[in-house]
């Protein structure tokens, strides 16, 4: 009883100060904590605000996850932008070499007129153009809003994937198969020429659809 009387008297005469933990006044009856439950120096309730702390931690963790996801998304598109740029420059160098003395040298090496090697120029020119277009499609898709433009992005990625697969097959054939084809009989070379011409046409068709889709703003997508 004596202790309770002393505590009551202390509360009555204690100066008022704001409790940072519960945003009440320490000697006000609205504060659910007693005077003994307040830290006089820090002026915080000794009760751990579990809910608020967990909420702040969860929010910070969410922000970190969002930042990490944003960085990974950026790197995904940036890496493909740079890779296609490097491949485009290499294809441009190969085309320039063929347009120089390379085509005549190849014609002499395999014993055919240079006019019969025009399909090589067409293939390499298509590769250069396709790399250029594909590079910019990654920049375009990057700036689409993930949620708002979901349908448009999915159509873009479908057309992009079809075009990219055809391009890789064409590029591989133009770079590797030509060497082996020129080391065999004329029949083998004729087969290679037909194959490369067909791949060039297929790739051109895919990229025509891709360009049309981007120029129309993916009009096929119903908003």
């Amino acid at each position: 009883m004596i202790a309770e009387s002393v505590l009551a008297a202390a509360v009555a005469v204690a100066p008022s100060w704001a409790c940072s933990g519960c945003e009440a006044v320490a000697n006000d009856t609205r504060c659910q904590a007693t005077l003994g439950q307040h830290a006089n120096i820090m002026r915080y309730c000794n009760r751990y605000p579990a809910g608020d702390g967990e909420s702040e931690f969860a929010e910070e963790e969410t922000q970190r996850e969002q930042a990490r996801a944003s960085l990974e998304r950026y790197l995904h598109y940036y890496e493909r932008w740079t890779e296609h740029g490097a491949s485009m420059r290499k294809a441009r160098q190969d085309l320039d070499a063929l347009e120089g003395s390379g085509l005549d040298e190849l014609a002499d090496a395999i014993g055919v007129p240079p006019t019969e090697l025009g399909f090589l120029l067409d293939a390499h020119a298509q590769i250069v153009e396709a790399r250029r277009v594909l590079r910019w499609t990654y920049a375009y898709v990057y700036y689409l809003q993930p949620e708002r433009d979901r349908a448009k992005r999915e159509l873009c990625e479908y057309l992009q994937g079809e075009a990219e697969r055809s391009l890789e097959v064409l590029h591989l054939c133009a770079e590797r198969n030509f060497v082996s084809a020129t080391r065999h009989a004329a029949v083998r070379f004729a087969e290679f020429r037909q194959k490369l011409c067909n791949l060039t046409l297929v790739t051109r068709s895919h990229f025509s659809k891709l360009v049309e889709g981007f120029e129309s703003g993916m009009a096929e997508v119903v908003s």
Side-chain angles (χ1 to χ4, degrees):
M1 295 295 294
I2 296 177
E4 293 178 357
S5 300
V6 172
L7 180 58
V11 171
V13 300
S16 298
W17 47 268
C19 172
S20 302
C22 60
E23 298 182 354
V25 179
N27 64 349
D28 193 317
T29 55
R30 289 175 298 173
C31 177
Q32 299 301 312
T34 64
L35 180 63
Q37 290 175 310
H38 288 80
N40 292 327
I41 297 177
M42 299 302 296
R43 296 192 176 183
Y44 275 96
C45 290
N46 64 354
R47 294 171 296 177
Y48 176 69
D52 294 340
E54 291 174 359
S55 176
E56 292 177 2
F57 176 79
E59 183 177 352
E60 291 178 359
E61 185 65 21
T62 299
Q63 291 175 349
R64 284 194 292 269
E65 290 295 332
Q66 290 175 342
R68 187 180 299 112
S70 178
L71 177 59
E72 290 176 352
R73 180 174 179 271
Y74 171 79
L75 290 176
H76 170 84
Y77 290 101
Y78 177 75
E79 287 172 357
R80 283 151 183 78
W81 161 273
T82 55
E83 288 170 0
H84 284 297
S87 295
M88 179 186 68
R89 289 188 291 273
K90 176 61 169 60
R92 180 74 254 182
Q93 292 173 356
D94 293 341
L95 179 59
D96 290 341
L98 286 173
E99 290 177 336
S101 59
L103 203 65
D104 292 334
E105 293 174 358
L106 286 174
D108 292 339
I110 61 180
V112 298
T115 53
E116 292 190 19
L117 298 180
F119 70 96
L120 287 174
L121 296 178
D122 292 341
H124 281 82
Q126 180 60 55
I127 292 170
V128 172
E129 176 63 11
R131 293 291 182 192
R132 184 188 69 81
V133 171
L134 201 57
R135 187 188 193 201
W136 281 105
T137 64
Y138 279 101
Y140 178 90
V141 175
Y142 172 75
Y143 284 104
L144 292 177
Q145 295 297 319
E147 296 302 326
R148 186 193 66 190
D149 301 321
R150 179 183 296 273
K152 182 182 291 188
R153 177 175 56 81
E154 289 176 352
L155 178 58
C156 287
E157 290 176 343
Y158 169 76
L159 295 174
Q160 189 183 60
E162 292 294 306
E164 190 164 4
R165 278 188 288 273
S166 67
L167 171 60
E168 296 303 338
V169 174
L170 171 64
H171 205 164
L172 183 65
C173 181
E175 285 189 339
R176 297 184 181 179
N177 292 1
F178 177 76
V179 176
S180 61
T182 55
R183 293 176 180 174
H184 296 276
V187 175
R188 183 69 179 274
F189 177 75
E191 292 175 352
F192 165 74
R193 178 172 56 189
Q194 186 62 46
K195 179 180 180 180
L196 192 63
C197 287
N198 290 339
L199 289 175
T200 301
L201 290 175
V202 170
T203 302
R204 183 174 295 130
S205 175
H206 279 299
F207 274 86
S208 294
K209 294 177 182 177
L210 181 64
V211 171
E212 289 173 2
F214 277 89
E215 288 180 344
S216 68
M218 298 298 160
E220 297 88 343
V221 177
V222 179
S223 302

